[in-house]
Amino acid sequence: MSDQTLFTLIREGDTITILDQTRLPFETVTRTLDCIEDVETAIKTMQVRGAPLIGITAAYGVAMALGEAACDSLVVDAVDTMLATRPTAVNLKHAMRRMHQRLLRSRLDQRQNAAWQEADAMFYEDVNANRAIGQHGVTLLKEIYERTGKPVRVMTHCNAGWLATVAWGTALAPVYLALEQNIPVEVWVSETRPRNQGLLTAWELSRAGIPHTLIADNAAGALIANGQVDCVLVGADRIAANGDTANKVGTYLKALAAHAAGVPFWVAAPINTFDTSCDTGKDIPIEERDGDEVRTVQGENGSAHIADTDMRVFNPAFDVTPASLITGFINERGIVLADKLEEHMEHAEVV
Amino acid sequence: MSDQTLFTLIREGDTITILDQTRLPFETVTRTLDCIEDVETAIKTMQVRGAPLIGITAAYGVAMALGEAACDSLVVDAVDTMLATRPTAVNLKHAMRRMHQRLLRSRLDQRQNAAWQEADAMFYEDVNANRAIGQHGVTLLKEIYERTGKPVRVMTHCNAGWLATVAWGTALAPVYLALEQNIPVEVWVSETRPRNQGLLTAWELSRAGIPHTLIADNAAGALIANGQVDCVLVGADRIAANGDTANKVGTYLKALAAHAAGVPFWVAAPINTFDTSCDTGKDIPIEERDGDEVRTVQGENGSAHIADTDMRVFNPAFDVTPASLITGFINERGIVLADKLEEHMEHAEVV
């Protein structure tokens, strides 16, 4: 049985229980969060991470902040607290706008219930959206398998698996669906320095019994250039109206290599990862994180200090891949080629 | 006073003393090697590393293997032992061919002396070649400084500083010369997983008082795309006749990003890094190293285990950057634009 039946977050009454992803893959530690401050810490410290999961967890954070009667300013404060946790993933922004709109439409004494309901709705929508992304995306893997007759060699970056969502994942959803459909897939897993989220991907794939190989981020170019990759599948934190895509730092380098080698480069993300208020990638705010993430490496047996605290570090958490390097987008409605995106956006109701 | 006066290797009688680069930048440990087996271990375990330094250290290894009278087979065995230590850097191959030719021309009872002399000659030639590379390369930095009036922002990869050679370094030689000439330079230092040689570069630059900033390898693309890099300067382990260049894995990704952004990408390496027996990069053997280099990270306080020993790893130590992405080559004779390389090679006596 594969992992797609597992959930990263469980609501129980007015608390949620999460997997602490800063302890994975070494230890499976759960944490129960029962106030907005807990949720704030969990998102900022990346106990909870992944663009879709951040948005939903924050929605529960808002619910936790509301008393039996919640005035407008309490709602706005809760939403603002959650919005300030991380800047790049737009799913958070969309989730907070949705909570805000729903709550302002509700009677004061109904808002607490409404908040939990709306967060629950997002939870289930995420599961369904990701399953649908998997179903659309697996057709791409199937086509490669039918053409080559060999296991499909997928390269991914960071973790866009079920750990980054409520369940299924985005970029890995097609891989889990391939497992269900007996399409053999092998995954190249990039370490993803500085936070090593590739190890989360390896942990997921290992539990699901999907063959995978770990590489240093630096090795991705050689693999792609040498014909050892059939397609690249990544998630996204925010997609501008023109298709420029912010995702974990290092994604752009893989896209350059894929483009140079004629290897398809697909972005798998739910519709609410689009942000039409950003015309291009230049409008997407890029989070810069603490230099200690680069100066140290977390391991099973503790952390290794690779550089002194006085060494200057620049640590952007994301980069922007221009639409011109992207083959297309896989979302819950289907697959859109990057060069048809504008047309598609005109006809789609994008949040 | 900057570091260019420092040497990585000192010969004393029939021994050499090296800096153990597996302990740097955390500890300055020297080791005295007095037999070819010591040299073999030092190169294989990367106590000694860097294409130019490997060749010269191996030459001393051959000298150590010869008794007072050295028959042909002893010479051949010593040369073969050294050749087998690492496959990609061609400097080793050239150094061994040179030792072999010199020794076979010498009388049996002169061979031991001849070996030490030839190794010493290579030692001094390396210092001079790198100083000349610096003098040619600094003109490129000076031109940028005069045009912009701002500190020149150089990106490098791995360590191609004095630690990779006898002295001065290759890619960093122009940076040290810039320091002498009061041309302000700031260096972006990539961590260079899996062996973190970027930390050696940071250590060198720190000792010399040259401003530098550490980044995860993944961040290089964003920096280059965002206009924060004036030029990329890297070393090389082997350059094919057409200019395709093998260098530390990850170099290719930086070259792709530089090319996409119109940022000059220079390869600094002595002439003996060319291998005209390789028509293109496809002919260059790429060393694959132990997966534990990726599964663990060496730090000041020990190593962090990031993945289990049973996790499958692919760990190529080098990649090939096609000549089409390279602006030009800086060697001891001058600067050759990549598109003039063929013409240049016809007129140059390349080893």
Side-chain angles (χ1 to χ4, degrees):
Chain A
M1 192 53 238
S2 74
D3 271 338
Q4 58 270 44
T5 51
L6 297 176
F7 294 90
T8 44
L9 183 156
I10 300 290
R11 175 186 164 194
E12 291 172 299
D14 54 3
T15 68
I16 59 172
T17 299
I18 60 155
L19 266 172
D20 181 348
Q21 300 197 29
T22 62
R23 306 292 284 277
L24 286 174
F26 311 118
E27 277 185 297
T28 306
V29 175
T30 57
R31 292 190 188 283
T32 297
L33 314 180
D34 62 6
C35 61
I36 190 170
E37 292 77 16
D38 281 358
V39 173
E40 192 182 6
T41 302
I43 296 174
K44 281 186 176 172
T45 63
M46 296 173 64
Q47 289 172 355
V48 164
R49 45 151 292 285
L53 184 57
I54 288 169
I56 292 152
T57 309
Y60 284 114
V62 171
M64 288 177 201
L66 306 185
E68 284 191 15
C71 63
D72 287 5
S73 71
L74 194 63
V75 170
V76 169
D77 283 355
V79 162
D80 286 349
T81 299
M82 291 292 92
L83 279 175
T85 51
R86 295 195 66 192
T88 301
V90 77
N91 318 58
L92 174 61
K93 202 174 91 170
H94 288 320
M96 290 304 98
R97 189 166 62 187
R98 185 166 156 181
M99 292 298 281
H100 189 242
Q101 287 174 349
R102 167 77 188 260
L103 295 175
L104 293 195
R105 281 199 312 267
S106 306
R107 272 174 37 194
L108 266 62
D109 62 349
Q110 296 291 322
R111 284 179 175 174
Q112 192 178 29
N113 272 343
W116 286 103
Q117 280 172 8
E118 198 68 21
D120 283 345
M122 291 186 211
F123 177 101
Y124 290 109
E125 284 166 23
D126 182 71
V127 178
N128 291 333
N130 298 335
R131 168 102 193 167
I133 287 171
Q135 285 167 328
H136 296 301
V138 74
T139 62
L140 301 170
L141 304 183
K142 192 175 176 192
E143 185 277 321
I144 295 169
Y145 178 54
E146 286 173 350
R147 179 160 42 80
T148 66
K150 293 182 185 163
V152 184
R153 300 160 303 172
V154 172
M155 178 176 281
T156 188
H157 188 59
C158 193
N159 172 266
W162 64 268
L163 287 170
T165 63
V166 173
W168 292 96
T170 52
L172 292 190
V175 172
Y176 288 125
L177 265 291
L179 185 71
E180 282 193 4
Q181 298 181 16
N182 295 313
I183 299 163
V185 172
E186 296 174 356
V187 183
W188 294 109
V189 177
S190 286
E191 180 179 16
T192 315
R193 282 281 289 147
R195 292 288 297 230
N196 291 14
Q197 292 97 331
L199 279 295
L200 301 178
T201 294
W203 182 78
E204 281 194 25
L205 296 172
S206 182
R207 289 174 61 116
I210 296 169
H212 57 282
T213 305
L214 180 68
I215 58 167
D217 299 303
N218 281 323
L223 278 170
I224 293 171
N226 294 339
Q228 294 168 274
V229 177
D230 294 311
C231 69
V232 182
L233 258 176
V234 298
D237 290 80
R238 191 182 301 210
I239 307 172
N242 75 337
D244 291 353
T245 296
N247 190 44
K248 180 58 54 200
V249 70
T251 301
Y252 169 54
L253 292 168
K254 287 185 167 62
L256 283 167
H259 192 258
V263 168
F265 184 96
W266 297 100
V267 173
I271 293 276
N272 68 4
T273 314
F274 279 92
D275 182 0
T276 51
S277 77
C278 294
D279 290 335
T280 74
K282 288 195 195 310
D283 302 315
I284 302 177
I286 299 296
E287 178 179 10
E288 194 182 329
R289 293 185 61 87
D290 196 291
D292 280 342
E293 292 188 349
V294 179
R295 294 184 200 101
T296 59
V297 181
Q298 302 301 319
E300 184 171 12
N301 56 332
S303 63
H305 303 300
I306 64 165
D308 293 336
T309 48
D310 62 355
M311 188 177 296
R312 200 192 306 165
V313 169
F314 179 60
N315 183 25
F318 304 94
D319 62 21
V320 173
T321 297
S324 58
L325 301 179
I326 296 170
T327 307
F329 301 89
I330 310 169
N331 62 46
E332 60 269 45
R333 298 202 195 128
I335 296 169
V336 189
L337 295 179
D339 54 13
K340 303 281 184 209
L341 182 65
E342 206 174 341
E343 196 179 311
H344 178 85
M345 298 287 278
E346 280 166 13
H347 298 93
E349 279 175 50
V350 174
V351 283
Chain B
M1 193 52 238
S2 76
D3 271 339
Q4 59 269 45
T5 52
L6 297 177
F7 294 90
T8 45
L9 183 156
I10 300 291
R11 174 186 165 195
E12 292 172 298
D14 54 3
T15 69
I16 60 172
T17 299
I18 59 155
L19 265 171
D20 181 348
Q21 300 197 28
T22 62
R23 307 293 284 275
L24 286 174
F26 311 117
E27 277 186 298
T28 307
V29 175
T30 57
R31 294 191 186 280
T32 297
L33 314 180
D34 63 7
C35 61
I36 189 169
E37 292 78 15
D38 281 358
V39 173
E40 191 182 7
T41 301
I43 296 174
K44 281 186 176 173
T45 63
M46 297 174 63
Q47 288 172 356
V48 163
R49 46 151 292 284
L53 184 57
I54 288 170
I56 292 153
T57 309
Y60 284 115
V62 170
M64 288 176 200
L66 306 185
E68 283 190 16
C71 63
D72 287 4
S73 72
L74 195 63
V75 169
V76 169
D77 283 353
V79 161
D80 286 348
T81 299
M82 292 291 93
L83 279 174
T85 51
R86 296 195 67 192
T88 301
V90 76
N91 318 58
L92 173 61
K93 201 173 90 170
H94 288 320
M96 290 305 98
R97 189 165 60 187
R98 186 166 155 181
M99 292 298 282
H100 189 240
Q101 287 174 349
R102 167 77 188 262
L103 295 175
L104 293 196
R105 282 199 311 269
S106 306
R107 272 175 36 197
L108 266 61
D109 62 350
Q110 295 291 321
R111 285 180 174 173
Q112 192 177 29
N113 271 343
W116 286 102
Q117 280 171 8
E118 198 68 21
D120 283 344
M122 291 185 211
F123 177 101
Y124 291 109
E125 285 166 21
D126 181 71
V127 178
N128 292 333
N130 298 335
R131 168 101 194 166
I133 286 170
Q135 285 167 327
H136 295 302
V138 74
T139 62
L140 301 169
L141 305 182
K142 192 175 176 192
E143 186 277 321
I144 294 169
Y145 179 55
E146 286 173 350
R147 180 160 42 80
T148 65
K150 293 181 185 163
V152 184
R153 301 161 304 174
V154 172
M155 177 176 281
T156 188
H157 188 59
C158 192
N159 172 268
W162 63 268
L163 287 170
T165 63
V166 172
W168 292 96
T170 52
L172 291 190
V175 172
Y176 289 125
L177 267 289
L179 185 72
E180 282 193 3
Q181 299 182 16
N182 295 313
I183 298 163
V185 172
E186 296 173 355
V187 183
W188 293 109
V189 177
S190 286
E191 181 180 12
T192 315
R193 282 281 289 148
R195 292 287 297 229
N196 290 14
Q197 292 97 331
L199 279 295
L200 301 178
T201 295
W203 182 80
E204 281 194 25
L205 295 171
S206 182
R207 289 173 62 116
I210 295 169
H212 57 281
T213 305
L214 180 67
I215 58 167
D217 299 304
N218 280 323
L223 279 170
I224 294 171
N226 293 339
Q228 294 168 275
V229 177
D230 294 311
C231 70
V232 182
L233 258 176
V234 298
D237 289 80
R238 191 182 302 210
I239 307 172
N242 75 338
D244 291 353
T245 296
N247 190 45
K248 180 57 55 198
V249 70
T251 301
Y252 169 53
L253 292 169
K254 287 184 166 64
L256 282 167
H259 193 257
V263 168
F265 184 96
W266 298 99
V267 173
I271 293 277
N272 69 4
T273 313
F274 279 91
D275 183 359
T276 52
S277 77
C278 294
D279 289 335
T280 74
K282 289 195 195 306
D283 302 315
I284 301 176
I286 299 296
E287 178 179 9
E288 194 181 330
R289 292 185 61 87
D290 196 292
D292 280 343
E293 292 187 348
V294 180
R295 295 185 199 102
T296 58
V297 180
Q298 301 301 319
E300 182 170 13
N301 56 332
S303 63
H305 304 301
I306 65 164
D308 293 336
T309 49
D310 62 355
M311 188 178 295
R312 200 192 307 164
V313 169
F314 179 61
N315 183 25
F318 304 94
D319 62 20
V320 173
T321 297
S324 58
L325 301 179
I326 297 169
T327 308
F329 301 89
I330 310 168
N331 61 46
E332 60 269 46
R333 300 203 193 126
I335 296 170
V336 189
L337 295 178
D339 54 12
K340 303 280 184 209
L341 183 65
E342 205 173 342
E343 196 179 310
H344 178 86
M345 298 287 278
E346 279 166 14
H347 298 93
E349 281 175 47
V350 173
V351 283

